[in-house]
Amino acid sequence: MRVPLIVGNWKMHLSLDEAEALATAAAKVAADCPDREVVIAPPFTALATVRAVVGERLILAAQNVGWAKKGAFTGEISPPMLRELGCRMVIVGHSERRHIFHEDNRMINQRLRGAMQQGLVPILCIGETLAEREAGRTMAVLEAQIRQGLNQVTLSDPARLVMAYEPVWAIGTGQTATPAQAQEAHKFVRRLLSALYEKNIATTTRILYGGSVNAANIDELMALADVDGALVGGASLAAESFERVIRFV
Ligand code: PGA
């Protein structure tokens, strides 16, 4: 019912030549795996180059998005600009945006709504810091991020939104959440979605896990009841490791 979704987040990496080669390789694997969806999120500057090689099945996403259609917003990229470059999805509220660039839930909600209004599917990232987990505040943090991130968002089609649980302490650290930690958080997210929306929205919305996902741990994570895919940073930057993640069993 929930088609597995693997998203490669390239962050601020790769030259244009490297981007083209990696996207070409990922497109081949995506074409060979019809039972799952594969997405890559290159830097803005590589979108046009990569678009030419993604083919029919590899989905293009951006790493962030401005909320207005156009205007005086130096440094921002609008939803129609991303659509024009072939993007169908966009990451919103990534922990690096929240913690390095101080984007708050209100701004993330603006970005998410702007993206949805222009027909982009947002991948809303949420996750607690280590201090928040140790203080027993994980679920409260997730709840606030979800309630505020989805403020004023009506959802009648589950295909219009993807959620991503990414514990901040697991991102780029090699320290993956345990299966029990991941499942507990994902179950909580789904329960909250069912409180906010129709039950069928909660049961059909895909919830990705992110944070040091790699070739060695993907199978175990994908076996969890409420994990529907992965948001992959480091392991998406090499063709072999990303292919193994896509081909999870
Ligand atoms: P990581 O990054 O896989 O390198 O931990 C994941 C992410 O930031 O989305």
Side-chain angles (χ1 to χ4, degrees):
M1 187 172 53
R2 301 190 294 263
V3 178
L5 178 64
I6 304 293
V7 182
N9 173 13
W10 294 0
K11 308 192 180 184
M12 196 170 71
H13 289 291
L14 305 181
S15 66
L16 286 182
D17 284 350
E18 290 165 340
E20 188 175 23
L22 187 57
T24 303
K28 266 193 209 122
V29 182
D32 195 40
C33 297
D35 62 337
R36 49 203 71 183
E37 289 180 359
V38 185
V39 178
I40 52 170
F44 293 123
T45 48
L47 288 172
T49 301
V50 162
R51 180 192 195 176
V53 298
V54 290
E56 295 281 295
R57 288 223 66 246
L58 183 59
I59 296 166
L60 201 52
Q63 297 175 17
N64 204 357
V65 63
W67 52 84
K69 275 200 237 176
K70 60 179 180 179
F73 298 97
T74 302
E76 293 286 311
I77 311 287
S78 76
M81 291 170 180
L82 295 180
R83 290 286 306 267
E84 205 174 12
L85 284 164
C87 288
R88 284 157 55 191
M89 295 182 146
V90 62
I91 297 169
V92 175
H94 189 276
S95 83
E96 285 144 23
R97 299 307 314 175
R98 292 177 187 268
H99 297 288
I100 303 173
F101 299 100
H102 306 292
E103 292 190 12
D104 60 11
N105 285 322
R106 209 178 133 264
M107 181 186 288
I108 289 160
N109 174 252
Q110 273 184 292
R111 294 190 188 280
L112 180 132
R113 286 190 289 141
M116 289 181 99
Q117 277 159 14
Q118 299 297 316
L120 288 164
V121 174
I123 301 169
L124 175 59
C125 300
I126 55 170
E128 81 287 1
T129 63
L130 185 58
E132 288 162 346
R133 176 164 282 273
E134 287 174 343
R137 294 183 48 228
T138 297
M139 302 308 156
V141 169
L142 299 184
E143 178 159 358
Q145 289 173 337
I146 293 170
R147 283 189 185 277
Q148 293 172 42
L150 294 177
N151 185 33
Q152 292 182 52
V153 173
T154 50
L155 260 185
S156 51
D157 178 0
R160 309 283 302 119
L161 172 75
V162 173
M163 298 294 300
Y165 169 61
E166 296 203 298
V168 178
W169 47 271
I171 295 176
T173 59
Q175 196 192 339
T176 320
T178 64
Q181 287 170 328
Q183 173 56 25
E184 182 192 29
H186 281 235
K187 195 171 168 187
F188 177 81
V189 173
R190 203 175 301 285
R191 219 183 289 134
L192 190 53
L193 287 176
S194 75
L196 295 173
Y197 300 104
E198 301 277 312
K199 189 160 180 283
N200 75 306
I201 296 290
T203 53
T204 49
T205 295
R206 289 174 294 182
I207 307 173
L208 315 181
Y209 169 80
S212 297
V213 172
N214 58 39
N217 58 31
I218 184 67
D219 297 344
E220 184 177 40
L221 288 162
M222 291 304 295
L224 299 169
D226 287 292
V227 173
D228 308 312
L231 181 49
V232 190
S236 74
L237 290 173
E240 311 76 62
S241 52
F242 192 46
E243 172 165 4
R244 178 61 185 82
V245 171
I246 295 167
R247 293 188 191 275
F248 71 86
V249 284

